Amino acid sequence: MERYRQQLKKGVLEMVVLATVAQSPSYGYRLLGDMDARSGGMFRMKEGSLYPVLYRLEDDGMIEARWQPGEGRATPKKYYAATARGAAQLGEMKNLWAEFSACVDGMLARAAGGGSEAEKEAMA
Amino acid sequence: MTKEAYIQAILKKTGLDRKTKARLAADLESDIGARLDAGETLDAVMTGMGSPAEVAEGLARSMGGATPRRSRWRWAVLFLAVALLLQVLYSAIAWCFFVPREMAGAESATLGIIGGADGPTAIFVTSVRVGIPALAALGLALAALAAFLLMQWKGRRRPVPLLVTGAVLVAYAAFLLAGGLSGSMIESTLNLWMPLSAVPVLLSRIVNPAFLAPLALGIVCLRRGMKQRREKADIS
């Protein structure tokens, strides 16, 4: 089951990271904490998995990075923020996800119910 | 271990290109700083993020390329290369300083071979007089060095050493082949009266580990180097 969990996570990771960054600009460590907390532990990950996703999004022009000085004695942080293109893409991704999840839900519901009468006749 | 040393250890183990390393260094610097600001100790940070090898492996795997794990046999191959090079060096020194000039020509071949079973001195002379075994050892040493380089450079995007090594090895193999064709070989090849006499000699040159090993490794190095150059260009 763990393999399926990993595969599903992998498929939506870019969308989830983009959505989290779009909500408020953030740096890697805080992003990890936010994603962990908001997903109830489902998206608990390490830096080694997060950075490549951030770089892909940045290379695609969906997010941009900038350094911000820390408050007081805090160290400077590298903040990532969604670009206009990223925000637009996120909207499209959400639509796609709604369509995708409705489709999968429907298929699973049909499989659980044993299929429609017409399908059963076709199988027979 | 300091923060800087930890970051450097991660970057070194990723085997990624310089541009990506610079990007990673910035993020690691920022996030380790953030963890320290949040009150974590450096030990806790390293435990949380993982050992440099773990972090590097995760990064390399996700970034589609570098596989930092390298074969442990590469050290055995390097040892072999050094041993063969020492053999070549020994032959060269012995040839320069210990073989009498009057024996350096064709006579010494006879002397060396006849005396081979008679005692240490004669065996020594046999081993140093023959240029071909030294050349063969040099070819095998170069091939072993190339094999080490291929193992060491596995998954990295630094094509230049591989391309240089490949070019040197292919040139060396070409030199060996040309050496086989020089002198009497060329004459006999050009001699229309006995055109086939060169074939067995040429075949014996080609079907020879001292020729085939550097040639094959050279071609592999060149191909791997060109592949790495393409990957590097794709990323940048």
Side-chain angles (χ1 to χ4, degrees), chain B residues 113-152:
Chain B
I113 291 162
I114 292 168
D118 294 346
T121 309
I123 290 168
F124 166 76
V125 170
T126 301
S127 68
V128 297
R129 72 137 299 273
V130 192
I132 295 302
L135 273 180
L138 181 61
L140 293 174
L142 290 175
L145 274 178
F148 170 75
L149 201 70
L150 283 167
M151 291 170 163
Q152 182 75 3

Side-chain angles (χ1 to χ4, degrees), chain B:
Chain B
M1 187 182 261
T2 62
K3 183 174 89 170
E4 286 71 26
Y6 179 62
I7 293 174
Q8 283 307 315
I10 292 172
L11 297 177
K12 192 177 172 191
K13 285 179 189 293
T14 57
L16 293 165
D17 61 285
R18 208 171 290 175
K19 193 180 164 188
T20 312
K21 279 184 182 174
R23 221 174 182 184
L24 281 172
D27 278 298
L28 288 168
E29 182 81 32
S30 166
D31 289 337
I32 293 174
R35 281 172 178 264
L36 294 174
D37 288 347
E40 287 186 38
T41 63
L42 190 57
D43 283 341
V45 171
M46 289 193 282
T47 308
M49 292 179 72
S51 70
E54 286 168 350
V55 180
E57 193 170 345
L59 285 165
R61 199 173 45 237
S62 309
M63 298 177 104
T67 311
R69 276 188 191 164
R70 285 166 253 158
S71 169
R72 288 179 185 172
W73 287 101
R74 68 190 192 280
W75 300 117
V77 174
L78 182 64
F79 178 79
L80 177 69
V82 171
L84 285 164
L85 282 174
L86 285 175
Q87 161 69 22
V88 174
L89 190 67
Y90 162 77
S91 297
I93 292 171
W95 178 258
C96 290
F97 296 107
F98 299 110
V99 176
R101 286 299 96 191
E102 63 272 15
M103 284 172 64
E107 286 176 21
S108 58
T110 316
L111 263 179
I113 291 162
I114 292 168
D118 294 346
T121 309
I123 290 168
F124 166 76
V125 170
T126 301
S127 68
V128 297
R129 72 137 299 273
V130 192
I132 295 302
L135 273 180
L138 181 61
L140 293 174
L142 290 175
L145 274 178
F148 170 75
L149 201 70
L150 283 167
M151 291 170 163
Q152 182 75 3
W153 252 243
K154 186 181 176 187
R156 298 189 179 191
R157 292 194 186 88
R158 292 185 210 157
V160 175
L162 286 177
L163 290 172
V164 170
T165 309
V168 168
L169 281 177
V170 171
Y172 177 80
F175 162 74
L176 277 189
L177 195 61
L181 286 170
S182 68
S184 60
M185 276 282 290
I186 284 182
E187 286 164 19
S188 57
T189 308
L190 294 176
N191 189 340
L192 293 175
W193 292 105
M194 42 179 185
L196 295 178
S197 65
V199 174
V201 185
L202 185 59
L203 276 177
S204 72
R205 290 271 175 192
I206 292 172
V207 187
N208 187 332
F211 168 76
L212 287 177
L215 181 68
L217 266 298
I219 291 170
V220 172
C221 279
L222 282 175
R223 288 185 57 148
R224 187 81 60 84
M226 284 191 275
K227 186 183 167 198
Q228 290 188 0
R229 200 167 66 167
R230 276 198 302 275
E231 287 174 355
K232 196 175 172 183
D234 286 345
I235 281 185
S236 54

Side-chain angles (χ1 to χ4, degrees), chain A residues 26-39:
Chain A
S26 192
Y27 49 89
Y29 177 57
R30 190 199 278 173
L31 262 176
L32 290 173
D34 287 350
M35 285 170 56
D36 184 9
R38 288 174 199 175
S39 67

